[in-house]
Amino acid sequence: MRLQIAVLCMVGVASAIAQTASTDDSSKAVVYVYRLQGGSGPPPNKPSVYCDEHELARMQNGCYFSIRLDAGKHSCRSTDEQSVVELDVKGGQTYYIRGEVVPISGKPRGSISRVTPEQGASEVRRLKPLPKGMVKDPSRVLFDLPK
C-alpha cells in the first residue's frame, strides 16, 4: 500500500513539473542567434553576443544557438556596440538575429541584425549547433532547431 501511494505521489509530482515546464515555455519567446557559413569578415572570427548585457556565447561561422526570453523589451548586441537589436518580445513567438563580422574603424567587430521569421528559420535549418566550448552562459543558451 505504501509503495502504491509513493508511486502515485511521484507520478503527481512529475505531472505537475511537466505542466509547469510547458506553461513556462509558452510564456517565453524563442530567439535564435546565428552566423551563416563562409566569408563573414576578418579575424577575430568569434565575436561575443550579449542580451540585456549578459554575455551568452561567442559566435562562429555556420552555427546557431537559441535563448528563451520573458515577454517584454530586451536589447541584444555583439562587439559593435552601435549595432543593437531592440526586441519587444511576446510569449510563444519566435525571433531571429543574424550576426556577421564587419570592419569598424579598421577593426573587426561583430554586428547583428534582426531578420524575418521565414528567412531566419530557413537559414538556421542549414546550420549546426554552436560548439559547447563557445557558450559563455550555459544556463540560458539552448540548441533546439526551429519548428
Side-chain angles (χ1 to χ4, degrees):
M1 180 70 162
R2 286 185 194 175
L3 181 59
Q4 289 174 333
I5 292 172
V7 168
L8 287 174
C9 286
M10 289 183 348
V11 168
V13 168
S15 175
I17 290 171
Q19 287 175 350
T20 301
S22 66
T23 301
D24 288 347
D25 266 356
S26 67
S27 69
K28 293 184 181 278
V30 179
V31 179
Y32 288 92
V33 182
Y34 65 97
R35 271 181 71 190
L36 295 175
Q37 184 64 42
S40 184
N45 253 357
K46 298 174 183 110
S48 293
V49 176
Y50 302 84
C51 187
D52 300 328
E53 292 305 315
H54 296 283
E55 185 177 19
L56 300 173
R58 296 190 62 142
M59 281 303 309
Q60 67 182 47
N61 285 339
C63 297
Y64 75 91
F65 67 89
S66 67
I67 58 173
R68 302 291 183 274
L69 294 176
D70 292 324
K73 295 184 179 192
H74 298 276
S75 178
C76 299
R77 69 172 180 85
S78 187
T79 53
D80 171 15
E81 294 183 12
Q82 303 303 310
S83 168
V84 177
V85 173
E86 299 289 345
L87 297 171
D88 188 2
V89 302
K90 311 274 186 268
Q93 298 292 311
T94 303
Y95 303 84
Y96 293 86
I97 296 174
R98 183 173 57 210
E100 62 182 334
V101 175
V102 296
I104 298 183
S105 300
K107 296 181 180 181
R109 296 285 183 241
S111 176
I112 61 172
S113 59
R114 184 173 170 188
V115 298
T116 66
E118 297 79 17
Q119 180 181 0
S122 172
E123 291 176 339
V124 167
R125 283 189 185 100
R126 295 181 299 204
L127 305 176
K128 60 186 176 188
L130 187 69
K132 294 195 186 319
M134 297 287 103
V135 174
K136 299 300 181 182
D137 188 350
S139 68
R140 297 182 71 188
V141 172
L142 305 170
F143 301 104
D144 54 338
L145 277 171
K147 295 178 183 175

